């Protein structure tokens, strides 16, 4: 079975169970917490994703890390994927569940990437502008990435607007290369 089928089947089953038990938001919040831990704790990544450790050792580690922090539904799902050898897909499960949750809840996710962190006032202005453009249920996430130099990259669901200085400079560089090739 390929990765996408595994991810879709497991995630749909979890989503439907969470919907039935009125735990959609709780699972989404748990997954956000797990995502942050995986992004920031290399040791946790190694323990969960190393093929050398036995399932029992991974379950013990998961129990130590998550039993007190996660709702029972999320915790049981985590144990199930470890038991079935699917922990390697955990990040894909999180992404797919989050997408299903947002669709169901009418949430539009927007990611704004800037070279420096934006102030709360600027983020508020962006949210107001999006509301004026009739973007409903906006969930605005901010990310900083110094190599864009300046400007911003705005991604709303699957659409992206790149107004970064780095991209503009690359476009100018490309045009200059084309011009110099043609003129020589």
């Amino acid at each position: 079975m390929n990765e996408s089928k595994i991810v879709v089947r497991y995630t749909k089953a979890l989503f439907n169970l969470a919907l039935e038990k009125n735990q959609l938001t709780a699972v989404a919040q748990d997954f956000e917490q797990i995502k942050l831990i995986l992004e920031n704790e290399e040791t946790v990544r190694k323990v969960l994703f190393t093929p050398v450790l036995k399932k029992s050792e991974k379950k013990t580690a998961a129990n130590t890390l998550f039993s007190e922090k996660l709702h029972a539904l999320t915790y049981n799902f985590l144990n199930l994927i470890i038991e079935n050898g699917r922990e390697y897909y955990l990040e894909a499960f999180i992404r797919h569940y989050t997408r299903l949750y947002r669709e169901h809840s009418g949430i539009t996710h927007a990611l704004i990437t800037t070279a420096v962190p934006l102030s709360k006032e600027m983020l508020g202005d962006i949210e107001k502008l999006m509301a004026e453009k009739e973007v409903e249920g906006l969930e605005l996430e901010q990310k900083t990435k110094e190599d864009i130099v300046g400007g911003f990259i705005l991604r709303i669901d699957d659409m992206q607007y790149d107004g970064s200085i780095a991209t503009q400079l690359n476009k100018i560089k490309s045009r200059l290369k084309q011009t110099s090739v043609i003129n020589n």
Side-chain angles (χ1 to χ4, degrees), residues 23-48:
Q23 294 288 312
L24 287 175
T25 302
V27 173
Q29 290 170 344
D30 285 348
F31 273 165
E32 187 61 32
Q33 187 176 6
I34 293 170
K35 178 183 165 193
L36 289 173
I37 290 170
L38 292 176
E39 288 172 353
N40 297 314
E41 301 291 335
E42 188 61 32
T43 306
V44 174
R45 291 185 66 78
K46 286 179 182 176
V47 168
L48 287 177

Side-chain angles (χ1 to χ4, degrees), residues 24-152:
L24 287 175
T25 302
V27 173
Q29 290 170 344
D30 285 348
F31 273 165
E32 187 61 32
Q33 187 176 6
I34 293 170
K35 178 183 165 193
L36 289 173
I37 290 170
L38 292 176
E39 288 172 353
N40 297 314
E41 301 291 335
E42 188 61 32
T43 306
V44 174
R45 291 185 66 78
K46 286 179 182 176
V47 168
L48 287 177
F49 300 142
T50 186
V52 178
L53 290 179
K54 297 176 186 175
K55 290 177 186 179
S56 60
E57 294 170 321
K58 289 182 181 186
K59 280 183 167 184
T60 301
N63 183 41
T64 303
L65 288 167
F66 299 114
S67 67
E68 300 294 320
K69 297 178 182 174
L70 304 178
H71 290 84
L73 189 58
T74 313
Y75 179 72
N76 290 337
F77 178 78
L78 187 59
N79 274 311
L80 175 73
I81 64 172
I82 292 171
E83 181 62 37
N84 292 340
R86 306 292 194 209
E87 64 274 11
Y88 307 105
Y89 303 115
L90 180 57
E91 292 167 310
F93 292 140
I94 292 170
R95 281 190 304 275
H96 191 66
Y97 183 90
T98 301
R99 187 170 64 246
L100 291 173
Y101 173 74
R102 286 178 180 147
E103 286 172 7
H104 178 79
S105 303
I107 297 170
T108 302
H109 181 259
L111 172 65
I112 187 159
T113 305
T114 56
V116 295
L118 297 175
S119 68
K120 289 184 180 183
E121 290 134 4
M122 290 179 86
L123 288 171
D125 291 343
I126 292 168
E127 289 175 346
K128 286 178 191 173
L129 179 64
M130 300 300 268
E132 289 172 11
K133 299 288 182 189
E134 298 181 9
V135 176
E136 297 295 322
L138 182 68
E139 178 184 85
L140 184 61
E141 178 184 355
Q142 180 186 0
K143 181 176 166 183
T144 56
K145 193 174 176 184
E146 291 179 7
D147 63 348
I148 70 167
V149 183
F152 65 92

Side-chain angles (χ1 to χ4, degrees), residues 1-11 86 89 92-93:
M1 188 181 307
N2 70 26
E3 177 183 337
S4 62
K5 285 184 181 178
I6 292 168
V7 170
V8 169
R9 285 184 180 172
Y10 275 74
T11 310
R86 306 292 194 209
Y89 303 115
F93 292 140

